[in-house]
Amino acid sequence: MVLAKEPVPGEVKTGLIPPFTAREAAALAAAALEDTLRAVARVPVARRVLALDGAPGPWLPHGFTVLPQRGDGPDERLAAAFDDAHRLLPVPVVLIGTDTPQVTPDMLAYALSMLSAYDAVFGPAADGGSWLLGLRVPDPGLLLGVPMSEPTTGEVQLRRLGEAGLSVALMPRLTDVDTAADAFVVAAQAPRSFFAAALARMSALR
């Protein structure tokens, strides 16, 4: 499952403004979204879900079930996305966002495989948050109340999982795209991505 927001200028990747314009930031968000969806599309799974805030666009590949996001805060939206996906098909769920366009199908397949032996799988992000969370049996109580977009988000989430008595497998730490500096780091890690191509086009015009 991918949790995403429609890439509308001024509403996505505002941390990249400046040095990028709102339109450029949205173009980078769209490229990252397309990279993420294409990676997911190449993983053999029972179902692919996009929990979307907004409307689907031409960047959406075939084979995804689109569910509207619901809830107010980010923790509510995460909990609701897990709940909705699990109701749709009661199997283990791996959720990622769209801030890590360097993610590969192999990484996602490995995360899914870990849920056969662990209750949860967690992908820490370099900024203290997370880029992936997988749950064998989703439970809103594991997410509600966890402070989001904070340097301690990942730490609090991991502690919540541990306090619930869950066994947790850890994924590699990835850099997510929050700043312009992050964008160049991630593009270098995934030079053949749509994200890297979009960033290169913008850099060439400056």
Side-chain angles (χ1 to χ4, degrees):
M1 176 166 58
V2 178
L3 188 77
K5 190 171 186 177
E6 181 186 0
V8 176
E11 297 185 15
V12 292
K13 285 284 158 242
T14 54
L16 301 181
I17 310 169
F20 298 102
T21 67
R23 188 171 297 278
E24 288 173 331
L28 288 171
L33 174 57
E34 189 164 3
D35 283 320
T36 303
L37 292 172
R38 286 182 177 240
V40 171
R42 292 171 58 195
V43 182
V45 290
R47 179 162 297 199
R48 299 174 184 87
V49 174
L50 173 63
L52 182 63
D53 178 5
W59 35 261
L60 180 64
H62 293 295
F64 279 78
T65 299
V66 179
L67 300 177
Q69 289 184 26
R70 58 186 181 86
D72 294 325
D75 61 328
E76 291 185 13
R77 288 176 176 256
L78 278 171
F82 269 108
D83 188 53
D84 291 345
H86 198 249
R87 286 177 184 273
L88 194 66
L89 187 64
V91 295
V93 179
V94 166
L95 179 146
I96 60 171
T98 61
D99 292 340
T100 51
Q102 72 272 45
V103 70
T104 67
D106 286 346
M107 290 180 191
L108 299 175
Y110 178 77
L112 282 166
S113 73
M114 287 296 96
L115 291 178
S116 64
Y118 293 85
D119 300 313
V121 58
F122 182 82
D127 64 359
S130 65
W131 64 272
L132 177 147
L133 178 62
L135 296 170
R136 186 187 293 174
V137 181
D139 177 358
L142 298 171
L143 293 153
L144 293 174
V146 174
M148 299 293 164
S149 302
E150 300 288 342
T152 58
T153 294
E155 177 186 347
V156 174
Q157 182 63 77
L158 270 176
R159 185 165 63 246
R160 179 75 66 88
L161 297 174
E163 289 171 347
L166 303 186
S167 57
V168 183
L170 291 178
M171 295 291 290
R173 184 181 303 273
L174 295 185
T175 297
D176 51 11
V177 180
D178 292 323
T179 67
D182 296 333
F184 286 98
V185 168
V186 169
Q189 293 172 349
R192 294 185 178 89
S193 63
F194 289 106
F195 183 82
L199 185 61
R201 286 193 299 271
M202 292 171 196
S203 300
L205 294 174
R206 293 180 182 279

